[in-house]
Amino acid sequence: MPIRVAVPKETLEGECRVALDPVVAKRFAALGCEVRMEHDAGAGAHYVDDDYEDVSFVTDKAELLGNAEVILKVQPPDEDEINQIAEGSIVVGFMSPHRYPERVKLMRDRRITSFAMELIPRISRAQGMDALSSQAAVAGYKAAIMAADRSGRFFPMLTTAAGTIRPAKVLIIGAGVAGLQAIATAKRLGAVVEAYDVRSATREQVQSLGAKYIDTGVAAEGEGGYARELTEEEKRKQLEVLAKHITQSDAVITTAAIPGRPSPKIISKEMVDNMKVGSVIIDLAAEGGGNCEVTKPGEDYVYGCVRVYGPFNVPSMLPVHASDMYAKNLLNFLTPMIKEGELKLDWEDQVIKDSALTHDGEIRHEPTRALVEGDAS
Ligand code: NAD
């Protein structure tokens, strides 16, 4: 019997991505899987059913989910979906366990094996599975486009018969995966780009993209290559230097995050008050509360004379390539588990161990287990 892989249509409002694009669907079929999808599952990403070869489409979602060994999702499965998935099956997707502890509990109780894409360890071997990175790259690109679109100015320098136009000044705060892609995109659009990150290791990466690195004298490398939270003194020092750059910018894109913590507030209300008329802030950290004090998460509005946008789910705004990249991440994650047309999970493998959220009636991710079961062991 081939491994039955199912892809339902995403149910979260506004989610346009799909977990499998036609190219990767074919690759799963070539691995010996029987791929089934819900009718119109790819529509949000502009893929019609006919684009998928070697895939059968069904309209009965309960039947689809109930007869699959592996279910591929973008967003966490909702409670209806979890109840339709057969006990013992595997579901893979972003799981946002802190946001949806009830769903984790339900998956545990239904003995579903769930793998959370956001828990895949960031080790070299797993780079091709790293959906946080692929989707952050999409968000960074789109942030630069959104900034250019909301600006009343050209980004590039232009020499025309009607005069010479100076390039826009763009500041990127946070030079992780999203920030670096925002830098590269703003550069391609011709802006003069400056960037800042608390991890000093980013200096060379920023410079290699042709942007200027702002040195605030604050370095805050934390565990696992991530940033740590700054002390009050470090925050003060950082803001003092950044304030000048923020007020001189035509567009500021913020991407700063600290895993498991609310987004650090880097741009104060006072700094926004001092920004140039018509400047733009794109706050990619909005889902964690935002990097700017005046960001209204999810809203696009004008504060004083500055356009401030804290978008949610930016990867879904570029659904074709976000889906293609995500599907590839899923393929890279699942391929090592498929041996001679059968699913074989090696529980000694770090990637499998770390990314497992629930398995065999247990919550395997300790912080989530403590949250859901109410104690820390
Ligand atoms: P992230 O989304 O956690 O944070 C975005 C950026 O914000 C980070 O660069 C962080 O240093 C920065 N930041 C945090 N607080 C800040 C502050 N107060 N001021 C300015 N900047 C601040 O980051 P990410 O894109 O997920 O990347 C985090 C780390 O993971 C990086 O070291 C990256 O190189 C690493 N990484 C490794 C792999 C891999 O090896 N497979 C893949 C992707 C990322």
Side-chain angles (χ1 to χ4, degrees), residues 122-123 127 130 133 173-178 196-199 225-227 230 238 255-259 264 266:
R122 285 180 137 176
I123 53 176
Q127 274 184 12
D130 186 351
S133 286
I173 300 177
V177 181
Y196 168 67
D197 196 290
V198 281
R199 292 182 298 111
Y226 287 100
L230 303 183
Q238 176 192 66
T255 72
I258 299 161
I266 298 170

Side-chain angles (χ1 to χ4, degrees), residues 62-93:
E63 186 273 325
L64 173 75
L65 296 180
N67 285 299
E69 284 152 276
V70 180
I71 292 102
L72 304 180
K73 288 274 307 167
V74 178
Q75 293 288 341
D78 61 32
E79 293 190 13
D80 286 342
E81 289 174 324
I82 297 171
N83 281 318
Q84 287 166 345
I85 294 172
E87 293 206 2
S89 300
I90 294 173
V91 57
V92 191

Side-chain angles (χ1 to χ4, degrees), residues 2-326:
I3 303 162
R4 279 158 307 171
V5 174
V7 181
K9 190 172 167 67
E10 292 295 318
T11 54
L12 185 78
E13 203 189 322
E15 180 54 76
C16 294
R17 291 170 292 176
V18 60
L20 268 193
D21 69 306
V23 172
V24 174
K26 251 184 121 156
R27 299 273 303 271
F28 272 105
L31 281 173
C33 299
E34 180 192 342
V35 185
R36 300 175 80 217
M37 295 176 71
E38 185 177 351
H39 166 59
D40 251 0
H46 310 298
Y47 292 125
V48 297
D49 295 358
D50 282 348
D51 290 333
Y52 292 85
E53 291 171 33
D54 304 324
V55 173
S56 47
F57 282 84
V58 296
T59 46
D60 184 345
K61 184 169 176 179
E63 186 273 325
L64 173 75
L65 296 180
N67 285 299
E69 284 152 276
V70 180
I71 292 102
L72 304 180
K73 288 274 307 167
V74 178
Q75 293 288 341
D78 61 32
E79 293 190 13
D80 286 342
E81 289 174 324
I82 297 171
N83 281 318
Q84 287 166 345
I85 294 172
E87 293 206 2
S89 300
I90 294 173
V91 57
V92 191
F94 283 112
M95 293 292 165
S96 308
H98 282 75
R99 199 153 161 199
Y100 301 115
E102 288 306 315
R103 299 186 192 184
V104 179
K105 218 186 271 181
L106 192 57
M107 290 195 287
R108 174 198 66 189
D109 296 345
R110 301 211 65 243
R111 306 186 78 81
I112 290 168
T113 298
S114 58
F115 290 106
M117 291 304 277
E118 62 268 58
L119 295 179
I120 290 179
R122 285 180 137 176
I123 53 176
S124 334
R125 174 166 69 85
Q127 274 184 12
M129 314 170 190
D130 186 351
L132 281 180
S133 286
S134 69
Q135 304 304 292
V138 173
Y141 165 84
K142 193 71 182 171
I145 304 287
M146 292 192 284
D149 192 33
R150 281 162 181 74
S151 174
R153 321 172 67 91
F154 279 115
F155 267 22
M157 188 184 101
L158 287 186
T159 307
T160 78
T164 299
I165 287 163
R166 290 228 299 258
K169 274 191 168 178
V170 177
L171 169 64
I172 318 279
I173 300 177
V177 181
L180 290 172
Q181 198 53 245
I183 295 171
T185 308
K187 280 295 292 181
R188 285 183 201 118
L189 289 172
V192 170
V193 184
E194 299 183 310
Y196 168 67
D197 196 290
V198 281
R199 292 182 298 111
S200 49
T202 57
R203 176 193 292 268
E204 270 180 29
Q205 294 163 345
V206 165
Q207 289 171 342
S208 73
L209 291 170
K212 183 179 160 229
Y213 181 78
I214 300 171
D215 195 346
T216 64
V218 175
E221 258 93 3
E223 266 175 51
Y226 287 100
R228 63 162 168 78
E229 210 162 358
L230 303 183
T231 63
E232 286 308 314
E233 174 57 18
E234 286 171 328
K235 271 187 208 163
R236 194 193 50 73
K237 205 167 156 192
Q238 176 192 66
L239 297 188
E240 228 172 68
V241 179
L242 281 183
K244 194 173 88 211
H245 294 268
I246 290 168
T247 51
Q248 289 171 353
S249 298
D250 297 303
V252 180
I253 297 169
T254 65
T255 72
I258 299 161
R261 310 278 312 153
S263 312
K265 290 281 181 269
I266 298 170
I267 305 179
S268 65
K269 184 170 160 298
E270 198 189 344
M271 290 179 195
V272 186
D273 288 335
N274 290 327
M275 283 177 79
K276 293 200 273 188
V277 175
S279 48
V280 177
I281 296 174
I282 303 293
D283 191 343
L284 279 192
E287 270 166 63
N291 287 143
C292 172
E293 257 176 28
V294 304
T295 296
K296 293 183 184 173
E299 279 190 43
D300 187 358
Y301 82 112
V302 178
Y303 169 86
C305 52
V306 178
R307 181 94 176 252
V308 184
Y309 184 23
F312 287 158
N313 198 1
V314 179
S316 172
M317 298 177 190
L318 202 94
V320 178
H321 285 137
S323 300
D324 293 0
M325 292 163 90
Y326 182 71

Side-chain angles (χ1 to χ4, degrees), residues 323-372:
S323 300
D324 293 0
M325 292 163 90
Y326 182 71
K328 202 70 182 289
N329 294 142
L330 288 174
L331 176 73
N332 291 335
F333 176 65
L334 285 158
T335 300
M337 300 185 199
I338 301 174
K339 297 199 176 84
E340 288 148 23
E342 279 182 46
L343 269 175
K344 294 213 171 88
L345 274 58
D346 172 7
W347 286 99
E348 295 306 309
D349 181 334
Q350 189 193 348
V351 174
I352 292 185
K353 246 189 337 201
D354 288 6
S355 58
L357 184 60
T358 58
H359 176 62
D360 218 4
E362 290 172 357
I363 298 172
R364 294 288 174 104
H365 179 240
E366 181 49 31
T368 305
R369 196 201 61 74
L371 176 82
V372 172

